[in-house]
Amino acid sequence: MRFSNKKVLVTGAAGGMGHVITRMLRDEGAAVAVADFKCNGLSAEVALPGDLLDQAYTDDLPNAAAKALGGLDIIINNAGVITRGPVTDTSDRDWDLSVGVNVEAPFRICRAGIPILAEGGGGAIVNLASCWGVHPGPNHAVYCMTKAAIASLTQCMGRDHAQQGVRINAVCPNEVDTPMLRSGFEKRGFDPETAIYELGNTVPLGRVAKPDDIADVVLFLASDAARYMCGALVEVNGGKSVA
Ligand code: NAD
């Protein structure tokens, strides 16, 4: 029970990775406030539905979670969106959406959350970046750029706030079998089941990651076992490098 008495905020909690992260945290004793567009049907101590593009909602999320849970120790910035294509195919809407959800929202949540964690005696933040934020990936220019931005922000914040006892790290997965990956295959006219099987053959470990493969690393970084880690970008890729 690594998270007994720990109070946690998880964004994107209705998504492929978010609901597994939430379940695993609660299984290990955490009280969790979940955030997503809709939180109906999610098992959690507190539901804070809303749109992360709404600045007032996002600025207030850590405070709302702390108020409802009676404190806040850990924040998991997991929500994300993927937009596809090279820069020449990227609309203003794609740009605003990608930057808004993948960079501005975690920035706002960290800005509001770090003082709350510090006042409570310290804590941990885990951001979901991507292998594509550490190495350039093909045909997803703005997505990669947003993940590089949150990776860099993580490294900077990890350094700036260590002295307050707030450890900030990021997990950088390669492909994970979630609605984000499956919807991409569907949009391109592929059968997701076949595509994920074939993609698995390109991974040295022989399969695409499942959400719990990534959630295990998220929980490790959030736990006391990672007590000396600050500003780390941890690639979780089954041996498959992007470059
Ligand atoms: P997902 O699409 O299954 O879940 C993302 C969740 O974020 C959804 O529930 C969605 O509703 C929520 N969300 C998006 N925009 C929001 C907004 N404006 N307001 C509130 N909630 C919003 O995706 P996932 O695969 O579980 O991804 C989780 C994280 O992992 C993301 O940051 C993603 O970029 C990252 N990631 C995923 C993969 C992958 O292959 N699936 C690989 C590397 C990194």
Side-chain angles (χ1 to χ4, degrees):
M1 298 293 269
R2 289 177 292 176
F3 299 99
S4 291
N5 302 319
K6 296 292 184 196
K7 284 126 181 162
V8 188
L9 168 64
V10 179
T11 70
M17 247 153 346
H19 87 268
V20 174
I21 292 168
T22 301
R23 174 175 48 74
M24 288 170 65
L25 282 164
R26 295 183 76 235
D27 284 350
E28 291 208 51
V32 180
V34 288
D36 209 304
F37 287 119
K38 287 185 183 154
C39 301
N40 306 350
L42 298 182
S43 298
E45 280 60 38
V46 173
L48 300 169
D51 183 349
L52 290 170
L53 296 177
D54 174 347
Q55 295 177 349
Y57 163 77
T58 305
D59 283 339
D60 189 51
L61 254 187
N63 178 50
K67 235 168 126 179
L69 292 170
L72 191 62
D73 305 291
I74 295 165
I75 298 172
I76 314 291
N77 279 310
N78 163 73
V81 290
I82 193 161
T83 51
R84 298 185 164 78
V87 159
T88 44
D89 291 347
T90 301
S91 65
D92 286 1
R93 187 184 170 276
D94 286 347
W95 171 269
D96 290 344
L97 179 68
S98 303
V99 173
V101 177
N102 295 353
V103 185
E104 186 174 341
F107 151 70
R108 289 181 178 280
I109 290 169
C110 288
R111 184 175 62 179
I114 289 165
I116 297 174
L117 267 47
E119 274 164 32
I125 298 177
V126 183
N127 296 322
L128 264 291
S130 171
C131 286
W132 283 11
V134 185
H135 314 279
N139 219 33
H140 288 73
V142 169
Y143 177 75
C144 293
M145 181 276 292
T146 62
K147 291 299 178 180
I150 191 61
S152 172
L153 200 61
T154 299
Q155 291 174 307
C156 297
M157 293 188 299
R159 181 181 178 138
D160 289 344
H161 300 286
Q163 66 211 14
Q164 294 166 276
V166 180
R167 298 184 303 98
I168 305 172
N169 295 289
V171 176
C172 305
N174 208 327
E175 294 103 353
V176 191
D177 185 357
T178 70
M180 181 178 276
L181 189 66
R182 284 175 178 259
S183 65
F185 286 131
E186 275 162 14
K187 270 186 204 154
R188 284 172 279 167
F190 300 118
D191 168 44
E193 217 54 60
T194 312
I196 283 171
Y197 176 77
E198 284 172 1
L199 190 61
N201 292 331
T202 69
V203 181
L205 271 184
R207 63 177 177 84
V208 168
K210 296 279 179 205
D212 61 349
D213 296 319
I214 309 304
D216 269 329
V217 182
V218 171
L219 264 67
F220 162 70
L221 288 174
S223 78
D224 198 44
R227 62 195 167 276
Y228 206 66
M229 294 182 74
C230 301
L233 307 178
V234 182
E235 286 193 62
V236 189
N237 60 13
K240 181 180 174 183
S241 57
V242 178

